[in-house]
Amino acid sequence: LYLRRGVALKLFHSAYSLLGRQEHTRLLLLNQADQRDLCHVVRLLDAFELEHHYCLVLELLEPLEARMPLARATTTTTTTLSAAVAGTSVVEVAAMAPLSHELLREVAQQLLFALAFLRQYELLHADLKPENIMAVTPVTPATVANEAPHHDIYRLRIKLADFSNAMSSSETSCYHDHFEVQSLPYRAPEVRSS
């Protein structure tokens, strides 16, 4: 079924299979509501259990950080960029040009659009961090023709991933005293110290 395209396999240890089932349920809801794949949420392709481990088959995306250095080098031509990138470290490529305001705006718009979509379904991601903002392969003219009029052609298309900690707004009060909604490295100092 998935032989023609790469997939990501997310495996939940048997002790955390409930989180896998929860993520499965959340992604089913979101993907069914977004059948045209316009709302910047990772696509769930399948789910199964293997030796008491819950597994999700997701569309293959790549970390946003992996795409940012190439996106930063927008001031060079494609030919120059290809020549410059060959044999160059990621740090050196990233230093070629500053991140453009236009590209930053595109990523921010897509992220806000995804969060607004989650809000429509009263869902809180609960683990929003750079590692959970993934990059999609470039948009092709064929996919652009199928998109709604409010979507622009993005040079870098992003999607939110990792909904294992996602919760409905009604569930947040249940977790208030027992659940850390923010990942430790991304907490504000005042939250960390209390």
Side-chain angles (χ1 to χ4, degrees), residues 140-165:
T140 64
T143 59
V144 172
N146 296 325
E147 289 192 4
H150 65 276
H151 282 270
D152 295 325
I153 300 172
Y154 296 114
R155 286 176 285 169
L156 178 64
R157 189 160 184 251
I158 60 118
K159 288 192 176 189
L160 285 183
D162 192 2
F163 286 81
S164 56
N165 289 331

Side-chain angles (χ1 to χ4, degrees), residues 2-172:
Y2 306 114
L3 295 177
R4 292 188 182 154
R5 60 179 164 176
V7 296
L9 184 63
K10 185 172 183 179
L11 177 82
F12 290 87
H13 186 275
S14 58
Y16 299 103
S17 64
L18 184 60
L19 284 176
R21 292 180 199 290
Q22 177 179 308
E23 182 167 1
H24 179 202
T25 302
R26 303 290 191 223
L27 285 175
L28 274 179
L29 167 77
L30 294 170
N31 288 177
Q32 287 172 356
D34 179 27
Q35 292 185 8
R36 294 177 63 199
D37 194 16
L38 302 174
C39 296
H40 306 286
V41 171
V42 67
R43 305 306 286 181
L44 174 70
L45 304 174
D46 202 358
F48 60 92
E49 201 165 326
L50 177 67
E51 298 178 10
H52 307 291
H53 301 294
Y54 203 76
C55 304
L56 299 177
V57 181
L58 306 163
E59 71 177 307
L60 184 61
L61 303 171
E62 60 183 286
L64 184 60
E65 300 90 25
R67 294 291 294 278
M68 295 310 274
L70 294 178
R72 287 179 184 209
T74 55
T75 57
T76 61
T77 66
T78 307
T79 310
T80 308
L81 178 61
S82 299
V85 173
T88 307
S89 75
V90 171
V91 174
E92 291 169 329
V93 173
M96 285 182 189
L99 185 64
S100 73
H101 291 283
E102 294 81 17
L103 187 60
L104 183 59
R105 186 178 306 119
E106 288 177 13
V107 170
Q109 285 173 338
Q110 293 172 74
L111 182 58
L112 291 172
F113 190 87
L115 293 174
F117 177 66
L118 294 180
R119 187 172 185 202
Q120 284 180 334
Y121 292 91
E122 297 184 354
L123 285 178
L124 177 67
H125 188 280
D127 195 20
L128 190 59
K129 56 188 176 185
E131 293 86 353
N132 291 335
I133 302 170
M134 306 296 282
V136 182
T137 53
V139 178
T140 64
T143 59
V144 172
N146 296 325
E147 289 192 4
H150 65 276
H151 282 270
D152 295 325
I153 300 172
Y154 296 114
R155 286 176 285 169
L156 178 64
R157 189 160 184 251
I158 60 118
K159 288 192 176 189
L160 285 183
D162 192 2
F163 286 81
S164 56
N165 289 331
M167 63 181 85
S168 68
S169 56
S170 62
E171 292 173 310
T172 56

